[in-house]
Amino acid sequence: MQTRYGPVNTEHMLFIAAGAFHRAKPSDLMPELQGRFPIRVELTDLTRDDLVRILTEPTSSLTKQYTALLATDGIEVRFEKDGIDALADAAHKVNQTTQNIGARRLHTILERLLEEVSFESPERAEKVVTVNAAYVQKRLESILKDEDLSRFIL
C-alpha cells in the first residue's frame, strides 16, 4: 500500500497496527489505510452542570425540540428550572451507575418522561404540561430506583 512516506507491505499489517507508525499521524496515511485503524479518544465524563447546559443552551436543544414537537398537537410544554435540574440529575445518576453514554442519555430520559403526553396528545384534555422536579420524580421514580431496569430502559 502506498503512503506519503513510500510503499507499505500489508503482509505485516498486524505488526504495522501494533505500532510501526507510532511517529506518524493517521492523517499521514492514505484514507484506505486510515479507516483500518480504530482511533480512540478518551474523554472526561459529563458533569451535571454540563447536562443542564446541553438541555438549555443550544438553539436546537432537546427541551426546545420537544416543546415544538408537542406544540404541533396543541400541547404547551413548560420546562421549569428545577425540572431541568432534575432531568440532569437523573441522567447523571444513570450514567454513573450504568453504561455512561454521555448526553445521549438525555434523549432517552426525555422520551420516557414525555412518552404518555406524546401518545395521548390529540385526545388530551389538559393542554399545558409543566415539567418541574415533582413531575420528573413522579414519571421516572420506578425506573431510577431499579438499577437493572434503568440499564435497559434508560
Side-chain angles (χ1 to χ4, degrees), residues 60-99:
S60 60
S61 68
L62 285 173
T63 53
K64 294 172 186 170
Q65 288 179 31
Y66 270 96
T67 301
L69 177 68
L70 291 170
T72 61
D73 287 330
I75 304 292
E76 181 184 350
V77 181
R78 297 179 186 154
F79 287 95
E80 294 184 356
K81 172 128 180 53
D82 65 336
I84 289 174
D85 290 342
L87 285 169
D89 286 336
H92 189 258
K93 178 184 174 193
V94 175
N95 272 346
Q96 297 303 311
T97 57
T98 63
Q99 183 180 7

Side-chain angles (χ1 to χ4, degrees), residues 5 8 12 16 21-22 31 34-35 44 51 54 76 90 95 105 122-124 132-134 137 139:
Y5 300 106
V8 174
H12 305 288
I16 292 168
F21 287 116
H22 68 281
Q34 286 177 19
T44 58
L51 295 170
I54 291 168
E76 181 184 350
N95 272 346
R105 181 77 63 201
E123 299 88 28
R124 189 175 174 92
N132 54 25
Q137 291 300 323
R139 296 287 300 142

Side-chain angles (χ1 to χ4, degrees), residues 62-70 75-79 87 106-121 124 128-132 135-136 139-140:
L62 285 173
T63 53
K64 294 172 186 170
Q65 288 179 31
Y66 270 96
T67 301
L69 177 68
L70 291 170
I75 304 292
E76 181 184 350
V77 181
R78 297 179 186 154
F79 287 95
L87 285 169
L106 293 171
H107 177 71
T108 57
I109 284 181
L110 270 169
E111 184 177 299
R112 180 63 59 185
L113 180 76
L114 296 172
E115 178 180 48
E116 186 178 302
V117 175
S118 296
F119 287 112
E120 296 176 354
S121 59
R124 189 175 174 92
V128 177
V129 177
T130 302
V131 178
N132 54 25
Y135 184 83
V136 172
R139 296 287 300 142
L140 301 178

